[in-house]
Amino acid sequence: TTAAFRWKCFEENEDRPAKPRCFGVTEIRRPHYTLFSHNLLQDIFESVGDYVDGLKFSGGSHSMMPKATIKQAIDMAHQHDVYVSTGDWAEHMVSKSPSSFKEYVEEYKQLGFDTIELNVSSLEIPEETFLRFIRLVKSGGLKAKPHFQVKFNESDISPLRRNLNKILVHHPFVSFSAEFVEDVNLLIRRAERCIEAGADMIMIDADDVSKHADNMRADIIAKIIGRLGIEKTMFEASNQRISEWFIKQYGPNVNLFIDHWNVVDVECLRGRNLGKNLASVLGSSDFLF
Protein backbone atom coordinates (compact mmCIF):
# COMPACT_ATOMS: atom_id res chain seq x y z
CA THR A 1 0.00 0.00 0.00
CA THR A 2 2.95 2.33 0.42
CA ALA A 3 4.11 2.28 -3.20
CA ALA A 4 1.48 4.73 -4.37
CA PHE A 5 2.21 7.22 -1.62
CA ARG A 6 5.70 7.91 -2.98
CA TRP A 7 3.91 9.59 -5.90
CA LYS A 8 4.23 13.37 -5.97
CA CYS A 9 1.25 15.05 -4.32
CA PHE A 10 -0.08 18.33 -5.72
CA GLU A 11 -1.82 21.05 -3.78
CA GLU A 12 -5.22 20.05 -2.40
CA ASN A 13 -7.85 19.75 -5.15
CA GLU A 14 -5.48 20.91 -7.92
CA ASP A 15 -6.74 19.45 -11.20
CA ARG A 16 -9.41 17.58 -9.26
CA PRO A 17 -12.74 19.36 -9.51
CA ALA A 18 -15.52 18.60 -7.05
CA LYS A 19 -18.13 15.97 -7.89
CA PRO A 20 -19.91 15.50 -10.17
CA ARG A 21 -16.81 15.25 -12.36
CA CYS A 22 -16.85 14.79 -16.14
CA PHE A 23 -13.17 13.75 -16.24
CA GLY A 24 -10.81 12.11 -13.78
CA VAL A 25 -13.75 9.84 -12.94
CA THR A 26 -13.22 6.83 -10.66
CA GLU A 27 -15.89 4.16 -10.97
CA ILE A 28 -15.73 1.15 -8.65
CA ARG A 29 -17.04 -2.37 -9.00
CA ARG A 30 -19.56 -3.29 -6.35
CA PRO A 31 -17.85 -6.07 -4.36
CA HIS A 32 -20.27 -8.81 -5.44
CA TYR A 33 -17.61 -11.52 -5.26
CA THR A 34 -16.95 -10.99 -1.52
CA LEU A 35 -19.11 -11.45 1.56
CA PHE A 36 -21.04 -8.29 0.91
CA SER A 37 -22.86 -6.37 3.61
CA HIS A 38 -24.60 -3.05 3.91
CA ASN A 39 -21.88 -2.01 6.36
CA LEU A 40 -19.06 -2.67 3.89
CA LEU A 41 -20.53 -0.40 1.24
CA GLN A 42 -21.24 2.24 3.87
CA ASP A 43 -17.63 1.98 5.08
CA ILE A 44 -16.33 2.48 1.54
CA PHE A 45 -18.42 5.60 1.02
CA GLU A 46 -17.68 7.09 4.44
CA SER A 47 -13.94 6.42 4.11
CA VAL A 48 -13.27 7.29 0.47
CA GLY A 49 -16.60 8.53 -0.85
CA ASP A 50 -15.06 11.86 -1.91
CA TYR A 51 -12.83 9.96 -4.34
CA VAL A 52 -15.52 7.66 -5.79
CA ASP A 53 -17.63 8.97 -8.66
CA GLY A 54 -19.55 5.86 -9.68
CA LEU A 55 -20.64 2.43 -8.46
CA LYS A 56 -21.24 -0.40 -10.94
CA PHE A 57 -23.36 -3.46 -10.22
CA SER A 58 -21.21 -5.59 -12.50
CA GLY A 59 -21.68 -9.24 -13.33
CA GLY A 60 -25.43 -9.02 -12.89
CA SER A 61 -24.96 -9.05 -9.12
CA HIS A 62 -28.16 -7.06 -8.57
CA SER A 63 -30.22 -9.80 -10.27
CA MET A 64 -29.86 -11.92 -7.13
CA MET A 65 -30.80 -9.13 -4.71
CA PRO A 66 -34.24 -8.05 -3.52
CA LYS A 67 -35.31 -4.74 -5.04
CA ALA A 68 -35.48 -3.16 -1.59
CA THR A 69 -31.82 -4.03 -1.01
CA ILE A 70 -30.81 -2.64 -4.41
CA LYS A 71 -32.65 0.59 -3.72
CA GLN A 72 -31.05 0.88 -0.28
CA ALA A 73 -27.56 0.56 -1.82
CA ILE A 74 -28.41 3.08 -4.55
CA ASP A 75 -29.83 5.58 -2.05
CA MET A 76 -26.64 5.27 0.00
CA ALA A 77 -24.52 5.94 -3.09
CA HIS A 78 -26.58 9.01 -3.96
CA GLN A 79 -26.12 10.37 -0.43
CA HIS A 80 -22.39 10.48 -1.23
CA ASP A 81 -22.87 11.97 -4.74
CA VAL A 82 -21.99 8.64 -6.36
CA TYR A 83 -23.84 7.67 -9.55
CA VAL A 84 -24.92 4.04 -10.00
CA SER A 85 -24.56 1.95 -13.18
CA THR A 86 -26.31 -1.28 -14.15
CA GLY A 87 -23.22 -2.91 -15.59
CA ASP A 88 -23.60 -4.88 -18.82
CA TRP A 89 -26.76 -6.79 -17.92
CA ALA A 90 -29.18 -5.55 -20.56
CA GLU A 91 -28.71 -8.60 -22.79
CA HIS A 92 -30.29 -10.78 -20.08
CA MET A 93 -33.29 -8.50 -19.65
CA VAL A 94 -34.52 -7.64 -23.12
CA SER A 95 -35.84 -9.61 -26.07
CA LYS A 96 -34.10 -7.35 -28.59
CA SER A 97 -37.20 -5.24 -29.24
CA PRO A 98 -37.39 -1.49 -28.50
CA SER A 99 -40.60 -1.95 -26.47
CA SER A 100 -39.09 -4.48 -24.06
CA PHE A 101 -35.92 -2.41 -23.78
CA LYS A 102 -37.97 0.67 -22.93
CA GLU A 103 -39.59 -1.30 -20.09
CA TYR A 104 -36.13 -2.33 -18.88
CA VAL A 105 -34.98 1.31 -18.83
CA GLU A 106 -38.10 2.40 -16.95
CA GLU A 107 -37.74 -0.38 -14.37
CA TYR A 108 -34.13 0.49 -13.63
CA LYS A 109 -34.91 4.20 -13.53
CA GLN A 110 -37.56 3.49 -10.87
CA LEU A 111 -34.95 1.61 -8.83
CA GLY A 112 -32.75 4.70 -8.93
CA PHE A 113 -30.03 3.73 -11.41
CA ASP A 114 -28.37 6.66 -13.17
CA THR A 115 -26.52 4.91 -16.01
CA ILE A 116 -27.43 2.04 -18.33
CA GLU A 117 -24.40 0.18 -19.64
CA LEU A 118 -24.81 -1.60 -22.97
CA ASN A 119 -22.36 -4.29 -24.03
CA VAL A 120 -21.95 -4.09 -27.79
CA SER A 121 -20.75 -7.69 -28.14
CA SER A 122 -23.23 -9.36 -25.78
CA LEU A 123 -26.38 -7.70 -27.13
CA GLU A 124 -25.73 -9.04 -30.67
CA ILE A 125 -28.14 -6.65 -32.36
CA PRO A 126 -27.84 -4.54 -35.54
CA GLU A 127 -26.05 -1.25 -35.10
CA GLU A 128 -29.14 0.83 -35.85
CA THR A 129 -31.05 -1.01 -33.10
CA PHE A 130 -28.17 -0.43 -30.70
CA LEU A 131 -28.19 3.31 -31.49
CA ARG A 132 -31.96 3.35 -30.99
CA PHE A 133 -31.44 1.79 -27.55
CA ILE A 134 -29.00 4.60 -26.67
CA ARG A 135 -31.60 7.18 -27.67
CA LEU A 136 -34.23 5.37 -25.56
CA VAL A 137 -31.93 5.52 -22.53
CA LYS A 138 -31.37 9.23 -23.04
CA SER A 139 -35.06 9.97 -23.60
CA GLY A 140 -35.73 8.11 -20.34
CA GLY A 141 -33.56 10.62 -18.49
CA LEU A 142 -30.63 8.28 -17.84
CA LYS A 143 -27.03 8.22 -19.04
CA ALA A 144 -25.91 5.70 -21.66
CA LYS A 145 -22.53 4.00 -21.58
CA PRO A 146 -21.74 1.57 -24.42
CA HIS A 147 -19.20 -1.11 -23.48
CA PHE A 148 -16.73 -2.08 -26.23
CA GLN A 149 -14.20 -4.86 -26.65
CA VAL A 150 -11.36 -4.62 -29.15
CA LYS A 151 -12.12 -8.06 -30.56
CA PHE A 152 -14.93 -8.45 -33.09
CA ASN A 153 -16.63 -11.35 -34.78
CA GLU A 154 -15.02 -11.97 -38.15
CA SER A 155 -18.35 -11.32 -39.90
CA ASP A 156 -18.23 -7.71 -38.64
CA ILE A 157 -15.04 -6.98 -40.57
CA SER A 158 -15.04 -5.84 -44.20
CA PRO A 159 -13.99 -8.47 -46.79
CA LEU A 160 -10.83 -6.52 -47.68
CA ARG A 161 -9.76 -6.26 -44.03
CA ARG A 162 -10.70 -9.91 -43.44
CA ASN A 163 -8.48 -11.08 -46.31
CA LEU A 164 -5.61 -9.01 -44.93
CA ASN A 165 -6.09 -10.60 -41.51
CA LYS A 166 -6.01 -14.09 -43.05
CA ILE A 167 -2.65 -13.27 -44.59
CA LEU A 168 -1.36 -11.91 -41.28
CA VAL A 169 -2.57 -14.99 -39.36
CA HIS A 170 -0.03 -17.10 -41.25
CA HIS A 171 2.79 -14.63 -40.75
CA PRO A 172 5.37 -16.13 -38.31
CA PHE A 173 5.65 -12.89 -36.32
CA VAL A 174 1.92 -12.12 -35.96
CA SER A 175 -0.49 -13.90 -33.62
CA PHE A 176 -4.27 -13.67 -34.09
CA SER A 177 -7.18 -15.50 -32.48
CA ALA A 178 -8.80 -18.09 -34.70
CA GLU A 179 -12.30 -16.81 -33.91
CA PHE A 180 -11.76 -13.08 -33.57
CA VAL A 181 -9.88 -10.42 -35.43
CA GLU A 182 -8.80 -7.01 -34.24
CA ASP A 183 -9.89 -3.78 -35.87
CA VAL A 184 -9.55 -0.72 -33.68
CA ASN A 185 -10.84 1.59 -36.41
CA LEU A 186 -14.12 -0.35 -36.45
CA LEU A 187 -14.44 0.09 -32.68
CA ILE A 188 -13.75 3.82 -32.93
CA ARG A 189 -16.19 4.38 -35.81
CA ARG A 190 -18.94 2.57 -33.89
CA ALA A 191 -18.12 4.47 -30.69
CA GLU A 192 -18.27 7.79 -32.57
CA ARG A 193 -21.74 6.92 -33.84
CA CYS A 194 -22.79 6.04 -30.28
CA ILE A 195 -21.59 9.43 -29.05
CA GLU A 196 -23.47 11.13 -31.90
CA ALA A 197 -26.60 9.23 -30.76
CA GLY A 198 -26.16 10.65 -27.24
CA ALA A 199 -23.86 8.23 -25.39
CA ASP A 200 -22.25 9.95 -22.41
CA MET A 201 -19.12 7.81 -22.16
CA ILE A 202 -17.51 4.81 -23.87
CA MET A 203 -16.33 1.93 -21.68
CA ILE A 204 -13.31 0.00 -23.00
CA ASP A 205 -12.97 -3.57 -21.77
CA ALA A 206 -9.60 -4.61 -20.33
CA ASP A 207 -9.32 -7.79 -22.43
CA ASP A 208 -6.57 -7.50 -25.05
CA VAL A 209 -6.02 -3.84 -24.11
CA SER A 210 -5.15 -3.26 -20.45
CA LYS A 211 -5.55 -6.54 -18.61
CA HIS A 212 -1.86 -7.04 -17.79
CA ALA A 213 0.53 -4.27 -16.76
CA ASP A 214 3.41 -5.93 -18.63
CA ASN A 215 1.46 -6.12 -21.87
CA MET A 216 -0.39 -2.82 -22.23
CA ARG A 217 -1.59 -2.03 -25.76
CA ALA A 218 -0.39 1.57 -25.72
CA ASP A 219 -1.00 1.89 -29.47
CA ILE A 220 -4.68 0.95 -29.19
CA ILE A 221 -5.25 3.13 -26.12
CA ALA A 222 -3.58 6.15 -27.76
CA LYS A 223 -5.69 5.74 -30.89
CA ILE A 224 -8.95 5.47 -28.93
CA ILE A 225 -8.21 8.51 -26.73
CA GLY A 226 -6.89 10.45 -29.71
CA ARG A 227 -10.13 9.98 -31.65
CA LEU A 228 -12.77 9.93 -28.91
CA GLY A 229 -11.17 12.23 -26.33
CA ILE A 230 -10.16 11.54 -22.74
CA GLU A 231 -13.46 12.81 -21.29
CA LYS A 232 -15.52 10.39 -23.39
CA THR A 233 -13.58 7.20 -22.59
CA MET A 234 -13.23 5.01 -19.51
CA PHE A 235 -10.72 2.16 -19.18
CA GLU A 236 -10.82 -0.85 -16.92
CA ALA A 237 -7.79 -1.05 -14.61
CA SER A 238 -7.71 -4.30 -12.64
CA ASN A 239 -4.83 -3.38 -10.34
CA GLN A 240 -2.69 -0.50 -9.06
CA ARG A 241 0.09 -1.02 -11.63
CA ILE A 242 -2.32 -0.61 -14.52
CA SER A 243 -3.88 2.48 -12.93
CA GLU A 244 -0.39 3.92 -12.49
CA TRP A 245 0.40 3.32 -16.17
CA PHE A 246 -2.76 5.17 -17.29
CA ILE A 247 -2.17 8.13 -14.98
CA LYS A 248 1.52 8.40 -15.91
CA GLN A 249 0.62 8.36 -19.61
CA TYR A 250 -2.51 10.52 -19.59
CA GLY A 251 -2.48 12.44 -16.30
CA PRO A 252 -5.03 12.61 -13.48
CA ASN A 253 -7.96 13.31 -15.80
CA VAL A 254 -8.15 9.80 -17.25
CA ASN A 255 -11.36 7.94 -16.36
CA LEU A 256 -10.83 4.55 -14.69
CA PHE A 257 -12.98 1.60 -13.65
CA ILE A 258 -11.31 -0.11 -10.67
CA ASP A 259 -11.89 -2.44 -7.72
CA HIS A 260 -12.98 -0.74 -4.50
CA TRP A 261 -9.77 -1.61 -2.63
CA ASN A 262 -7.68 0.39 -5.12
CA VAL A 263 -9.44 3.73 -4.54
CA VAL A 264 -6.83 5.18 -2.16
CA ASP A 265 -3.92 4.17 -4.39
CA VAL A 266 -5.57 5.65 -7.47
CA GLU A 267 -6.43 8.93 -5.77
CA CYS A 268 -2.83 9.30 -4.56
CA LEU A 269 -1.60 8.53 -8.06
CA ARG A 270 -3.89 11.24 -9.37
CA GLY A 271 -2.03 13.63 -7.08
CA ARG A 272 -4.48 14.17 -4.23
CA ASN A 273 -3.03 14.85 -0.79
CA LEU A 274 -5.36 12.84 1.44
CA GLY A 275 -3.93 14.24 4.67
CA LYS A 276 -5.63 13.02 7.83
CA ASN A 277 -8.23 11.05 5.87
CA LEU A 278 -5.51 8.60 4.82
CA ALA A 279 -5.03 7.25 8.34
CA SER A 280 -8.74 6.57 8.77
CA VAL A 281 -8.90 4.74 5.44
CA LEU A 282 -5.87 2.55 6.03
CA GLY A 283 -7.02 1.85 9.56
CA SER A 284 -10.33 0.40 8.38
CA SER A 285 -10.09 -3.39 8.26
CA ASP A 286 -13.46 -3.72 6.56
CA PHE A 287 -12.28 -1.62 3.60
CA LEU A 288 -9.60 -4.18 2.73
CA PHE A 289 -12.01 -7.09 2.18
Side-chain angles (χ1 to χ4, degrees):
T1 56
T2 59
F5 309 130
R6 294 196 298 268
W7 191 266
K8 175 185 174 183
C9 283
F10 302 109
E11 291 298 321
E12 185 74 13
N13 294 328
E14 183 181 346
D15 292 328
R16 294 291 284 144
K19 295 192 295 184
R21 289 180 275 261
C22 60
F23 53 82
V25 171
T26 297
E27 182 176 288
I28 65 170
R29 179 184 287 106
R30 176 190 171 273
H32 64 277
Y33 41 79
T34 63
L35 292 173
F36 177 78
S37 70
H38 175 86
N39 291 336
L40 174 56
L41 188 59
Q42 185 174 9
D43 188 56
I44 292 170
F45 288 145
E46 290 181 354
S47 299
V48 295
D50 288 345
Y51 322 125
V52 176
D53 298 274
L55 174 72
K56 181 189 290 189
F57 280 73
S58 59
S61 54
H62 54 287
S63 65
M64 302 178 67
M65 298 168 59
K67 289 186 177 180
T69 304
I70 297 172
K71 200 166 190 325
Q72 187 180 32
I74 292 174
D75 290 344
M76 188 192 307
H78 289 165
Q79 289 171 13
H80 293 271
D81 297 320
V82 174
Y83 70 80
V84 185
S85 171
T86 60
D88 54 341
W89 192 243
E91 66 271 20
H92 300 282
M93 301 294 293
V94 299
S95 59
K96 317 306 186 204
S97 69
S99 59
S100 63
F101 183 76
K102 191 173 183 178
E103 292 171 5
Y104 163 74
V105 171
E106 186 58 34
E107 178 185 352
Y108 278 68
K109 181 180 180 179
Q110 292 300 318
L111 284 172
F113 283 93
D114 306 286
T115 300
I116 300 287
E117 189 164 310
L118 302 168
N119 192 309
V120 176
S121 301
S122 300
L123 277 169
E124 296 181 342
I125 55 178
E127 185 177 30
E128 283 306 313
T129 303
F130 190 87
L131 297 177
R132 191 178 307 123
F133 282 4
I134 291 175
R135 289 189 283 269
L136 283 172
V137 171
K138 297 299 295 180
S139 64
L142 301 179
K143 292 187 176 182
K145 183 161 69 170
H147 182 137
F148 281 86
Q149 292 177 307
V150 173
K151 298 292 185 180
F152 290 91
N153 288 316
E154 202 167 328
S155 59
D156 290 337
I157 311 297
S158 68
L160 180 62
R161 176 72 181 184
R162 193 156 57 241
N163 290 334
L164 175 60
N165 285 331
K166 288 178 180 178
I167 295 171
L168 291 173
V169 164
H170 296 96
H171 194 284
F173 300 109
V174 178
S175 175
F176 276 79
S177 164
E179 298 180 357
F180 295 97
V181 290
E182 179 183 286
D183 193 326
V184 184
N185 288 322
L186 175 60
L187 180 154
I188 293 172
R189 287 195 299 273
R190 287 183 169 181
E192 287 173 335
R193 286 193 283 269
C194 288
I195 292 171
E196 289 171 3
D200 298 272
M201 190 173 288
I202 303 297
M203 178 73 197
I204 305 298
D205 196 272
D207 286 349
D208 300 301
V209 177
S210 59
K211 195 166 188 176
H212 305 289
D214 297 328
N215 190 30
M216 299 290 289
R217 290 298 304 270
D219 55 336
I220 291 177
I221 294 166
K223 197 166 189 178
I224 291 172
I225 290 179
R227 289 273 296 276
L228 302 180
I230 198 166
E231 292 185 12
K232 287 293 186 180
T233 50
M234 175 175 285
F235 293 89
E236 183 177 2
S238 57
N239 59 56
Q240 187 264 346
R241 287 184 61 201
I242 294 173
S243 298
E244 183 173 353
W245 184 93
F246 273 110
I247 294 169
K248 277 186 173 181
Q249 294 294 319
Y250 294 100
N253 292 337
V254 65
N255 302 315
L256 296 175
F257 171 53
I258 64 174
D259 288 307
H260 67 277
W261 57 75
N262 288 327
V263 171
V264 175
D265 286 345
V266 168
E267 195 63 24
C268 287
L269 287 165
R270 290 191 193 276
R272 175 70 66 86
N273 182 357
L274 299 183
K276 293 181 180 179
N277 289 337
L278 180 58
S280 65
V281 171
L282 296 181
S284 171
S285 58
D286 289 337
F287 181 71
L288 299 178
F289 283 127

